[in-house]
CSV table of all heavy atoms in Angstrom, one decimal:
chain,number,residue,atom,x,y,z
J,1411,TRP,N,-13.5,7.5,5.8
J,1411,TRP,CA,-13.3,6.2,5.2
J,1411,TRP,C,-11.8,5.9,5.0
J,1411,TRP,O,-11.4,4.8,5.2
J,1411,TRP,CB,-14.0,6.2,3.8
J,1411,TRP,CG,-15.5,6.4,3.9
J,1411,TRP,CD1,-16.2,7.5,3.9
J,1411,TRP,CD2,-16.5,5.3,3.9
J,1411,TRP,NE1,-17.6,7.2,4.0
J,1411,TRP,CE2,-17.8,5.9,4.0
J,1411,TRP,CE3,-16.3,3.9,3.9
J,1411,TRP,CZ2,-18.9,5.1,4.1
J,1411,TRP,CZ3,-17.5,3.1,4.0
J,1411,TRP,CH2,-18.8,3.7,4.1
J,1412,VAL,N,-11.1,7.0,4.6
J,1412,VAL,CA,-9.6,6.8,4.5
J,1412,VAL,C,-9.0,6.4,5.8
J,1412,VAL,O,-8.1,5.5,5.9
J,1412,VAL,CB,-9.0,8.0,3.9
J,1412,VAL,CG1,-7.4,7.9,3.9
J,1412,VAL,CG2,-9.5,8.3,2.5
J,1413,GLU,N,-9.4,7.0,6.9
J,1413,GLU,CA,-8.8,6.7,8.2
J,1413,GLU,C,-9.2,5.3,8.6
J,1413,GLU,O,-8.3,4.6,9.1
J,1413,GLU,CB,-9.4,7.7,9.2
J,1413,GLU,CG,-8.8,9.1,9.1
J,1413,GLU,CD,-7.2,9.1,9.3
J,1413,GLU,OE1,-6.7,8.4,10.2
J,1413,GLU,OE2,-6.6,9.7,8.5
J,1414,ALA,N,-10.4,4.9,8.3
J,1414,ALA,CA,-10.8,3.5,8.7
J,1414,ALA,C,-10.0,2.5,7.8
J,1414,ALA,O,-9.5,1.5,8.3
J,1414,ALA,CB,-12.3,3.3,8.4
J,1415,TYR,N,-9.8,2.8,6.6
J,1415,TYR,CA,-9.0,2.0,5.7
J,1415,TYR,C,-7.6,1.9,6.2
J,1415,TYR,O,-7.0,0.8,6.2
J,1415,TYR,CB,-9.0,2.5,4.3
J,1415,TYR,CG,-8.4,1.6,3.2
J,1415,TYR,CD1,-9.2,0.9,2.4
J,1415,TYR,CD2,-7.0,1.5,3.1
J,1415,TYR,CE1,-8.6,0.1,1.4
J,1415,TYR,CE2,-6.4,0.7,2.1
J,1415,TYR,CZ,-7.3,0.0,1.3
J,1415,TYR,OH,-6.7,-0.8,0.3
J,1416,ARG,N,-7.0,3.0,6.6
J,1416,ARG,CA,-5.6,3.0,7.1
J,1416,ARG,C,-5.5,2.2,8.3
J,1416,ARG,O,-4.5,1.4,8.4
J,1416,ARG,CB,-5.2,4.5,7.4
J,1416,ARG,CG,-3.8,4.7,7.7
J,1416,ARG,CD,-3.5,6.2,7.9
J,1416,ARG,NE,-3.4,6.9,6.6
J,1416,ARG,CZ,-4.2,8.0,6.3
J,1416,ARG,NH1,-5.1,8.4,7.2
J,1416,ARG,NH2,-4.0,8.6,5.2
J,1417,ARG,N,-6.5,2.2,9.2
J,1417,ARG,CA,-6.4,1.4,10.4
J,1417,ARG,C,-6.4,-0.1,10.1
J,1417,ARG,O,-5.8,-0.9,10.8
J,1417,ARG,CB,-7.6,1.7,11.3
J,1417,ARG,CG,-7.4,3.1,12.0
J,1417,ARG,CD,-8.5,3.2,13.2
J,1417,ARG,NE,-9.8,3.0,12.7
J,1417,ARG,CZ,-10.6,3.9,12.3
J,1417,ARG,NH1,-10.2,5.2,12.3
J,1417,ARG,NH2,-11.9,3.7,12.0
J,1418,ASP,N,-7.2,-0.5,9.0
J,1418,ASP,CA,-7.4,-1.9,8.7
J,1418,ASP,C,-6.4,-2.5,7.7
J,1418,ASP,O,-6.4,-3.7,7.5
J,1418,ASP,CB,-8.8,-2.1,8.1
J,1418,ASP,CG,-9.9,-1.9,9.1
J,1418,ASP,OD1,-9.6,-2.1,10.3
J,1418,ASP,OD2,-11.0,-1.5,8.7
J,1419,CYS,N,-5.6,-1.6,7.1
J,1419,CYS,CA,-4.7,-2.1,6.0
J,1419,CYS,C,-3.5,-2.9,6.5
J,1419,CYS,O,-2.7,-2.4,7.4
J,1419,CYS,CB,-4.2,-0.8,5.2
J,1419,CYS,SG,-3.2,-1.3,3.8
J,1420,VAL,N,-3.4,-4.1,6.0
J,1420,VAL,CA,-2.3,-5.0,6.5
J,1420,VAL,C,-0.9,-4.6,5.8
J,1420,VAL,O,0.1,-5.1,6.3
J,1420,VAL,CB,-2.6,-6.5,6.2
J,1420,VAL,CG1,-3.8,-6.9,7.0
J,1420,VAL,CG2,-2.7,-6.7,4.7
J,1421,ASN,N,-1.0,-3.8,4.8
J,1421,ASN,CA,0.3,-3.5,4.1
J,1421,ASN,C,1.2,-2.6,4.8
J,1421,ASN,O,2.4,-2.7,4.7
J,1421,ASN,CB,0.0,-2.9,2.7
J,1421,ASN,CG,-0.9,-3.7,1.8
J,1421,ASN,OD1,-2.1,-3.8,2.1
J,1421,ASN,ND2,-0.3,-4.3,0.8
J,1422,LEU,N,0.6,-1.7,5.6
J,1422,LEU,CA,1.4,-0.6,6.2
J,1422,LEU,C,2.5,-1.1,7.2
J,1422,LEU,O,2.2,-2.0,8.0
J,1422,LEU,CB,0.5,0.4,6.9
J,1422,LEU,CG,-0.5,1.1,5.9
J,1422,LEU,CD1,-1.3,2.2,6.7
J,1422,LEU,CD2,0.1,1.6,4.7
J,1423,GLY,N,3.7,-0.6,7.0
J,1423,GLY,CA,4.8,-0.9,7.8
J,1423,GLY,C,5.4,-2.3,7.5
J,1423,GLY,O,6.3,-2.7,8.3
J,1424,ARG,N,5.1,-2.8,6.4
J,1424,ARG,CA,5.6,-4.2,6.0
J,1424,ARG,C,6.3,-4.1,4.7
J,1424,ARG,O,5.9,-3.3,3.8
J,1424,ARG,CB,4.4,-5.2,6.0
J,1424,ARG,CG,3.7,-5.3,7.3
J,1424,ARG,CD,2.6,-6.3,7.3
J,1424,ARG,NE,3.0,-7.7,7.1
J,1424,ARG,CZ,2.1,-8.7,7.1
J,1424,ARG,NH1,0.8,-8.5,7.3
J,1424,ARG,NH2,2.5,-9.9,6.9
J,1425,PRO,N,7.2,-5.0,4.4
J,1425,PRO,CA,7.8,-5.2,3.1
J,1425,PRO,C,6.7,-5.6,2.1
J,1425,PRO,O,5.9,-6.5,2.4
J,1425,PRO,CB,8.9,-6.2,3.3
J,1425,PRO,CG,9.1,-6.3,4.7
J,1425,PRO,CD,7.8,-6.0,5.4
J,1426,VAL,N,6.7,-5.0,0.9
J,1426,VAL,CA,5.8,-5.4,-0.1
J,1426,VAL,C,6.6,-5.6,-1.4
J,1426,VAL,O,7.7,-5.1,-1.6
J,1426,VAL,CB,4.7,-4.4,-0.3
J,1426,VAL,CG1,3.8,-4.3,0.9
J,1426,VAL,CG2,5.2,-3.0,-0.7
J,1427,ARG,N,6.0,-6.3,-2.3
J,1427,ARG,CA,6.5,-6.5,-3.6
J,1427,ARG,C,5.6,-5.9,-4.6
J,1427,ARG,O,4.4,-6.2,-4.7
J,1427,ARG,CB,6.7,-8.0,-3.9
J,1427,ARG,CG,7.2,-8.3,-5.3
J,1427,ARG,CD,7.5,-9.8,-5.5
J,1427,ARG,NE,8.7,-10.2,-4.7
J,1427,ARG,CZ,9.0,-11.4,-4.5
J,1427,ARG,NH1,8.3,-12.4,-5.0
J,1427,ARG,NH2,10.1,-11.7,-3.8
J,1428,LEU,N,6.1,-4.9,-5.4
J,1428,LEU,CA,5.2,-4.3,-6.4
J,1428,LEU,C,5.4,-5.1,-7.7
J,1428,LEU,O,6.5,-5.3,-8.2
J,1428,LEU,CB,5.7,-2.8,-6.7
J,1428,LEU,CG,5.9,-2.0,-5.4
J,1428,LEU,CD1,6.4,-0.6,-5.8
J,1428,LEU,CD2,4.7,-1.9,-4.6
J,1429,LEU,N,4.2,-5.6,-8.2
J,1429,LEU,CA,4.2,-6.4,-9.4
J,1429,LEU,C,3.8,-5.6,-10.6
J,1429,LEU,O,2.7,-5.6,-11.0
J,1429,LEU,CB,3.2,-7.6,-9.2
J,1429,LEU,CG,3.4,-8.4,-7.8
J,1429,LEU,CD1,2.4,-9.5,-7.7
J,1429,LEU,CD2,4.8,-9.0,-7.8
J,1430,TRP,N,4.8,-4.9,-11.1
J,1430,TRP,CA,4.6,-4.1,-12.3
J,1430,TRP,C,4.5,-5.0,-13.5
J,1430,TRP,O,4.8,-6.2,-13.4
J,1430,TRP,CB,5.8,-3.1,-12.6
J,1430,TRP,CG,6.2,-2.3,-11.4
J,1430,TRP,CD1,7.3,-2.4,-10.6
J,1430,TRP,CD2,5.4,-1.2,-10.8
J,1430,TRP,NE1,7.3,-1.4,-9.6
J,1430,TRP,CE2,6.2,-0.7,-9.7
J,1430,TRP,CE3,4.2,-0.6,-11.1
J,1430,TRP,CZ2,5.8,0.4,-9.0
J,1430,TRP,CZ3,3.8,0.5,-10.4
J,1430,TRP,CH2,4.6,1.0,-9.3
J,1431,THR,N,4.0,-4.5,-14.6
J,1431,THR,CA,3.8,-5.4,-15.7
J,1431,THR,C,5.1,-5.9,-16.3
J,1431,THR,O,5.1,-7.0,-16.8
J,1431,THR,CB,3.0,-4.6,-16.9
J,1431,THR,OG1,3.8,-3.4,-17.2
J,1431,THR,CG2,1.6,-4.2,-16.4
J,1432,ASP,N,6.2,-5.2,-16.2
J,1432,ASP,CA,7.4,-5.6,-16.8
J,1432,ASP,C,8.5,-6.0,-15.7
J,1432,ASP,O,9.6,-6.4,-16.1
J,1432,ASP,CB,7.9,-4.6,-17.7
J,1432,ASP,CG,8.2,-3.2,-17.0
J,1432,ASP,OD1,7.6,-3.1,-15.9
J,1432,ASP,OD2,8.9,-2.4,-17.6
J,1433,ARG,N,8.2,-5.8,-14.4
J,1433,ARG,CA,9.3,-6.1,-13.4
J,1433,ARG,C,8.6,-6.2,-12.1
J,1433,ARG,O,7.5,-5.9,-11.9
J,1433,ARG,CB,10.3,-4.9,-13.5
J,1433,ARG,CG,9.8,-3.6,-12.9
J,1433,ARG,CD,10.8,-2.5,-13.2
J,1433,ARG,NE,10.4,-1.3,-12.5
J,1433,ARG,CZ,9.4,-0.4,-12.9
J,1433,ARG,NH1,8.8,-0.7,-14.1
J,1433,ARG,NH2,9.1,0.7,-12.3
J,1434,GLN,N,9.5,-6.6,-11.1
J,1434,GLN,CA,9.0,-6.6,-9.7
J,1434,GLN,C,10.0,-5.8,-8.9
J,1434,GLN,O,11.2,-5.7,-9.1
J,1434,GLN,CB,9.1,-8.1,-9.2
J,1434,GLN,CG,8.1,-9.0,-9.9
J,1434,GLN,CD,8.1,-10.4,-9.2
J,1434,GLN,OE1,8.7,-10.6,-8.2
J,1434,GLN,NE2,7.3,-11.3,-9.8
J,1435,THR,N,9.4,-5.0,-7.9
J,1435,THR,CA,10.2,-4.1,-7.1
J,1435,THR,C,9.9,-4.3,-5.7
J,1435,THR,O,8.7,-4.4,-5.3
J,1435,THR,CB,10.0,-2.7,-7.5
J,1435,THR,OG1,10.2,-2.5,-8.9
J,1435,THR,CG2,10.8,-1.7,-6.7
J,1436,GLU,N,10.9,-4.5,-4.8
J,1436,GLU,CA,10.7,-4.5,-3.4
J,1436,GLU,C,10.6,-3.1,-2.8
J,1436,GLU,O,11.3,-2.2,-3.3
J,1436,GLU,CB,11.9,-5.2,-2.7
J,1436,GLU,CG,12.2,-6.6,-3.2
J,1436,GLU,CD,11.1,-7.6,-2.9
J,1436,GLU,OE1,10.5,-7.4,-1.8
J,1436,GLU,OE2,10.9,-8.6,-3.7
J,1437,ALA,N,9.7,-3.0,-1.8
J,1437,ALA,CA,9.5,-1.7,-1.2
J,1437,ALA,C,8.9,-1.8,0.2
J,1437,ALA,O,8.7,-3.0,0.6
J,1437,ALA,CB,8.5,-0.8,-2.1
J,1438,GLU,N,8.7,-0.7,0.8
J,1438,GLU,CA,8.0,-0.7,2.1
J,1438,GLU,C,6.8,0.1,2.1
J,1438,GLU,O,6.9,1.3,1.6
J,1438,GLU,CB,9.0,-0.2,3.2
J,1438,GLU,CG,8.3,-0.2,4.6
J,1438,GLU,CD,9.1,0.5,5.7
J,1438,GLU,OE1,10.1,1.1,5.3
J,1438,GLU,OE2,8.7,0.5,6.8
J,1439,ALA,N,5.7,-0.4,2.5
J,1439,ALA,CA,4.4,0.4,2.5
J,1439,ALA,C,4.4,1.3,3.7
J,1439,ALA,O,4.6,0.8,4.8
J,1439,ALA,CB,3.2,-0.6,2.5
J,1440,VAL,N,4.2,2.6,3.5
J,1440,VAL,CA,4.3,3.5,4.6
J,1440,VAL,C,3.0,4.3,4.9
J,1440,VAL,O,2.8,4.8,6.0
J,1440,VAL,CB,5.4,4.5,4.4
J,1440,VAL,CG1,6.8,3.8,4.4
J,1440,VAL,CG2,5.2,5.3,3.1
J,1441,ASP,N,2.1,4.4,3.9
J,1441,ASP,CA,0.9,5.2,4.2
J,1441,ASP,C,-0.2,4.9,3.1
J,1441,ASP,O,0.1,4.3,2.1
J,1441,ASP,CB,1.2,6.7,4.2
J,1441,ASP,CG,0.2,7.5,4.9
J,1441,ASP,OD1,-0.7,6.9,5.5
J,1441,ASP,OD2,0.3,8.8,4.9
J,1442,ILE,N,-1.4,5.4,3.4
J,1442,ILE,CA,-2.5,5.5,2.4
J,1442,ILE,C,-2.8,6.9,2.2
J,1442,ILE,O,-3.0,7.7,3.2
J,1442,ILE,CB,-3.7,4.7,3.0
J,1442,ILE,CG1,-3.4,3.2,3.2
J,1442,ILE,CG2,-4.9,4.8,2.0
J,1442,ILE,CD1,-3.1,2.4,2.0
J,1443,ASP,N,-2.9,7.4,1.0
J,1443,ASP,CA,-3.1,8.8,0.7
J,1443,ASP,C,-4.7,9.0,0.7
J,1443,ASP,O,-5.5,8.1,0.9
J,1443,ASP,CB,-2.4,9.3,-0.5
J,1443,ASP,CG,-3.1,8.9,-1.8
J,1443,ASP,OD1,-4.1,8.2,-1.8
J,1443,ASP,OD2,-2.6,9.2,-2.9
J,1444,GLY,N,-5.0,10.3,0.4
J,1444,GLY,CA,-6.4,10.7,0.5
J,1444,GLY,C,-7.4,10.1,-0.5
J,1444,GLY,O,-8.6,10.2,-0.4
J,1445,GLN,N,-6.8,9.4,-1.5
J,1445,GLN,CA,-7.6,8.7,-2.5
J,1445,GLN,C,-7.3,7.2,-2.5
J,1445,GLN,O,-7.5,6.5,-3.5
J,1445,GLN,CB,-7.4,9.3,-3.9
J,1445,GLN,CG,-7.9,10.7,-4.1
J,1445,GLN,CD,-9.4,10.8,-4.0
J,1445,GLN,OE1,-10.1,9.8,-4.4
J,1445,GLN,NE2,-9.9,11.9,-3.6
J,1446,PHE,N,-6.9,6.7,-1.4
J,1446,PHE,CA,-6.6,5.3,-1.2
J,1446,PHE,C,-5.4,4.8,-2.0
J,1446,PHE,O,-5.3,3.5,-2.2
J,1446,PHE,CB,-7.9,4.4,-1.5
J,1446,PHE,CG,-9.0,4.8,-0.6
J,1446,PHE,CD1,-10.0,5.7,-0.9
J,1446,PHE,CD2,-9.2,4.1,0.7
J,1446,PHE,CE1,-11.0,6.0,-0.1
J,1446,PHE,CE2,-10.2,4.4,1.5
J,1446,PHE,CZ,-11.2,5.4,1.1
J,1447,GLY,N,-4.6,5.7,-2.4
J,1447,GLY,CA,-3.3,5.2,-3.1
J,1447,GLY,C,-2.4,4.7,-2.0
J,1447,GLY,O,-2.3,5.2,-0.9
J,1448,LEU,N,-1.5,3.7,-2.4
J,1448,LEU,CA,-0.5,3.1,-1.4
J,1448,LEU,C,0.8,3.8,-1.6
J,1448,LEU,O,1.4,3.8,-2.6
J,1448,LEU,CB,-0.4,1.6,-1.7
J,1448,LEU,CG,0.6,0.9,-0.8
J,1448,LEU,CD1,0.1,0.9,0.6
J,1448,LEU,CD2,0.8,-0.5,-1.3
């Protein structure tokens, strides 16, 4: 299931913005871990 998710995930390899409760952070999405964490 993780492998299928990784194949379908549009975030990977792209700039993302992390919308924390108190701030925003720019980052790059690089992988999905074994529990679907980004």
Side-chain angles (χ1 to χ4, degrees):
W1411 294 87
V1412 174
E1413 285 303 314
Y1415 188 104
R1416 189 177 284 123
R1417 289 193 303 269
D1418 291 333
C1419 185
V1420 298
N1421 302 72
L1422 299 185
R1424 300 176 68 173
V1426 295
R1427 177 176 290 170
L1428 311 180
L1429 308 179
W1430 308 109
T1431 55
D1432 58 344
R1433 68 189 189 283
Q1434 297 183 4
T1435 302
E1436 302 293 330
E1438 179 189 5
V1440 297
D1441 199 8
I1442 300 295
D1443 76 1
Q1445 291 293 333
F1446 298 92
L1448 181 65

